[in-house]
Amino acid sequence: MKATQRRSEILSLIGNSENPIPASALSERFNVSRQVIVQDIAILRANGYDVTATNRGYVISTKVQASRVMKCRHSFEEIVDEGMLIIGAGGRVENIFVNHRVYGRITARLDLYNRTHVEELYRSLVSCASKPLMSVTDGYHYHTVSADSEQTLDEIENLLREKGFLIEI
């Protein structure tokens, strides 16, 4: 298979997948090294394709028309409810950050685009000794939420408000 054909198929696979695709999975599929895949991705980016590397693999970034920072507070047990609400309404949870009085702003990238990502995050938090970032600020935290429109973000804010999760800034 020629490199140009492989890159075209990589774009198709990543673009049509609901979940990120790891470089190792791509290298197995095309019977090339992981480094070849990394180089292919670099070439695709240089040619204008918006391929993003996440901790779960590669995704084609969709055109986000709007994003907003939302301040929230809830319990550990409600992490899934918050994430599912945002995802279900058409949003993406890009990150989480807290404003710590000693350490300042602490940010972690989340990249939650679908229900599976939310469930994986919760399972990871439950199964390890680490606590969620929001625990250092008594549940208060911020998310950068993106969506296709300001209307969708308004709807997400209203849903978070109804659940009692949204803190007015």
Side-chain angles (χ1 to χ4, degrees), residues 75-135:
S75 68
F76 176 81
E77 293 76 21
E78 294 170 315
I79 288 174
V80 172
D81 293 341
E82 177 196 52
M84 294 297 191
L85 185 149
I86 294 169
I87 301 299
R92 296 168 47 154
V93 184
E94 304 295 341
N95 64 19
I96 182 171
F97 63 94
V98 296
N99 290 321
H100 194 276
R101 291 185 181 182
V102 175
Y103 301 119
R105 184 175 175 162
I106 304 168
T107 305
R109 187 134 189 93
L110 291 178
D111 295 321
L112 304 178
Y113 306 146
N114 60 42
R115 296 176 187 279
T116 303
H117 295 163
V118 175
E119 292 165 355
E120 286 173 359
L121 172 68
Y122 186 74
R123 277 195 302 275
S124 294
L125 289 169
V126 168
S127 67
C128 71
S130 298
K131 295 191 182 219
L133 191 54
M134 66 183 217
S135 68

Side-chain angles (χ1 to χ4, degrees), residues 8 24 56 69 148:
S8 176
S24 59
R56 295 179 192 94
V69 172
D148 61 350

